[in-house]
Amino acid sequence: MQRRSLLLLGVGSVVAATVAESTARPCSAKPMPDRPPVTASSNVRIQAVSHWSGIFEQSWDYQARTAQPMSRSRDSQDHYDLAYTLDANVAMYRATGGRRYLDRALTFVENVVASSAPSTSLAGSTFRDRYRGWASSKSGQGGDEVPLYESYFWRYATQLLVVMRQTPGVYGNAGYRARYDKLLSFAEVNLFEKWYARGAAETIYRERTHMAAHWALIALNLGRITADAGRRTRYRQVLNTIGAQIHNQMTRSPVEPTAYFWSDVWGSTRRPGQDVGHGNGVMAYVVEARDQGSTWTPADMAAFCSLLDKVIWPGGTTYRKFVDGTGRDNGWIADGFVKLGRYDPILQHRLESYQVVNDQFAANMALNAKILRG
């Protein structure tokens, strides 16, 4: 098990906290009845994008001091930790159109690529093949290449590429286009192709829902922007396989009939189910899949919103550790669950009072507000 630090932005204070990450395989279960989602037309006043931009800006200098060195690291666990700040800057660019956020996100990803080395030169690697990558000596990895760490970062790096491709002013700019082309080529070969060739059953179709979800998001993103028909077919195969497996995990909550429940163990419906911390990874994939027109429905998103609103966060500063509503935790939802606010202005309004706020939370609240306000 490895640990990562979490920055909490209070009013005039910065506090350190930690959250655990674990490891993970695929199988089946059943969705639930329709519940009409609350729409943006609901009579609820939500904070403007500018409100959340102001909170995000409190972390700008902190990012420069901490995230920039992580982006230059040759240890892939540092890239894992960098993923949150990368997602934050991509979300801020999507919410505001501010090029400084795009430029910082691009620099992070380019630094990570520049720190890669041929697998044959990585002394602790068990692969030592023709691909480029990173070793990790932290958390007992012994200098090996770790698919979890790489997928955790590249799900958001490929999201950045999707945003660039879908923004005419960026994609049509010669400078940005050259940078985009280079990063896309690297991601297709030295991320997805590499781990697929090394054994997709072990490295992509993972042993836990959240770990497989990282690859589903990567496949979703690359499938939208690749120019190679053969690669697109493979991305869709991975996306459809993992997406169906995750959807089949969803069952009615044992404590709230309008909410979803799932286990991180494929094919299991045993309580307490998925822990909320890792469940963020599942939500990060589901939200983008829904927004990009995948098979997740409004009823699905309503069930996830109900899970957050009624089970995970029953009130005040009570934050549950598991999706069955048991256990107590530190309330970290910035990497996934907070993104549900874009579907429900009532939930977004409630999230405005959430007490665990970092740069990733603020950025995604800004993006939620942008989407809800049209």
Side-chain angles (χ1 to χ4, degrees):
M1 178 177 290
Q2 52 141 359
R3 300 186 73 81
R4 52 180 165 64
S5 64
L6 175 65
L7 172 70
L8 304 182
L9 301 178
V11 180
S13 66
V14 177
V15 190
T18 56
V19 184
E21 170 70 33
S22 108
T23 25
R25 167 200 97 138
C27 211
S28 189
K30 257 195 174 81
M32 28 176 300
D34 283 359
R35 166 180 173 254
V38 181
T39 67
S41 62
S42 300
N43 188 24
V44 175
R45 293 176 62 87
I46 60 172
Q47 293 284 3
V49 172
S50 59
H51 170 82
W52 296 105
S53 298
I55 294 175
F56 175 86
E57 287 296 332
Q58 296 178 38
S59 70
W60 188 254
D61 294 337
Y62 175 86
Q63 288 181 17
R65 294 194 305 270
T66 59
Q68 287 283 12
M70 286 192 290
S71 73
R72 298 188 180 99
S73 172
R74 294 184 179 276
D75 192 304
S76 59
Q77 187 177 323
D78 288 326
H79 307 156
Y80 176 107
D81 293 335
L82 178 63
Y84 312 115
T85 302
L86 174 60
D87 179 54
N89 280 276
V90 174
M92 282 302 298
Y93 177 65
R94 294 172 69 184
T96 68
R99 289 285 177 90
R100 70 200 297 254
Y101 308 122
L102 171 66
D103 291 341
R104 175 165 279 188
L106 258 177
T107 298
F108 287 155
V109 180
E110 289 170 336
N111 287 348
V112 168
V113 169
S115 72
S116 69
S119 179
T120 51
S121 71
L122 303 176
S125 175
T126 56
F127 303 99
R128 300 181 67 80
D129 50 28
R130 68 182 181 87
Y131 297 103
R132 298 185 69 86
W134 308 265
S136 182
S137 298
K138 299 183 176 183
S139 302
Q141 299 299 337
D144 205 354
E145 298 174 76
V146 184
L148 172 60
Y149 299 167
E150 295 186 25
S151 64
Y152 207 77
F153 175 81
W154 282 92
R155 61 190 171 134
Y156 291 141
T158 54
Q159 185 66 45
L160 170 63
L161 295 178
V162 170
V163 172
M164 293 179 71
R165 180 65 182 86
Q166 294 177 341
T167 308
V170 172
Y171 189 70
N173 177 290
Y176 280 125
R177 176 63 184 274
R179 298 166 77 180
Y180 166 91
D181 287 341
K182 183 177 179 180
L183 293 178
L184 175 58
S185 176
F186 186 94
E188 292 207 283
V189 174
N190 293 295
L191 189 275
F192 194 95
E193 178 186 307
K194 175 178 72 178
W195 289 111
Y196 197 95
R198 288 174 174 180
E202 295 77 28
T203 65
I204 291 179
Y205 299 111
R206 305 305 302 270
E207 68 267 27
R208 290 289 187 268
T209 57
H210 50 280
M211 298 177 76
H214 306 332
W215 286 104
L217 182 49
I218 291 169
L220 174 73
N221 291 333
L222 290 178
R224 289 185 66 84
I225 59 179
T226 185
D228 186 299
R231 290 185 187 278
R232 185 180 299 109
T233 297
R234 178 157 289 172
Y235 300 146
R236 286 176 178 170
Q237 177 188 34
V238 169
L239 172 62
N240 291 340
T241 301
I242 297 176
Q245 289 168 333
I246 291 176
H247 207 289
N248 286 340
Q249 284 291 101
M250 301 300 155
T251 60
R252 189 190 303 266
S253 168
V255 296
E256 170 52 55
T258 64
Y260 269 150
F261 167 88
W262 76 94
S263 171
D264 60 328
V265 178
W266 298 107
S268 174
T269 56
R270 293 184 60 184
R271 297 179 68 175
Q274 175 86 66
D275 65 294
V276 173
H278 291 102
N280 280 291
V282 175
M283 283 299 95
Y285 149 68
V286 168
V287 166
E288 290 304 327
R290 168 62 189 166
D291 288 357
Q292 294 187 30
S294 190
T295 55
W296 297 92
T297 68
D300 288 323
M301 307 321 292
F304 288 124
C305 288
S306 181
L307 170 64
L308 173 60
D309 189 39
K310 298 181 179 180
V311 181
I312 292 173
W313 182 28
T317 57
T318 298
Y319 310 120
R320 297 305 182 191
K321 185 174 183 178
F322 297 99
V323 296
D324 72 341
T326 61
R328 294 291 294 264
D329 208 0
N330 65 3
W332 180 68
I333 59 170
D335 194 45
F337 283 102
V338 69
K339 300 173 183 181
L340 292 169
R342 70 187 61 175
Y343 305 113
D344 185 340
I346 295 176
L347 179 59
Q348 175 77 356
H349 180 69
R350 187 177 180 220
L351 284 166
E352 292 172 355
S353 67
Y354 208 74
Q355 296 297 300
V356 186
V357 179
N358 65 0
D359 56 349
Q360 190 184 23
F361 183 97
N364 280 289
M365 286 293 282
L367 180 55
N368 291 349
K370 169 70 177 297
I371 292 170
L372 286 170
R373 287 167 170 260

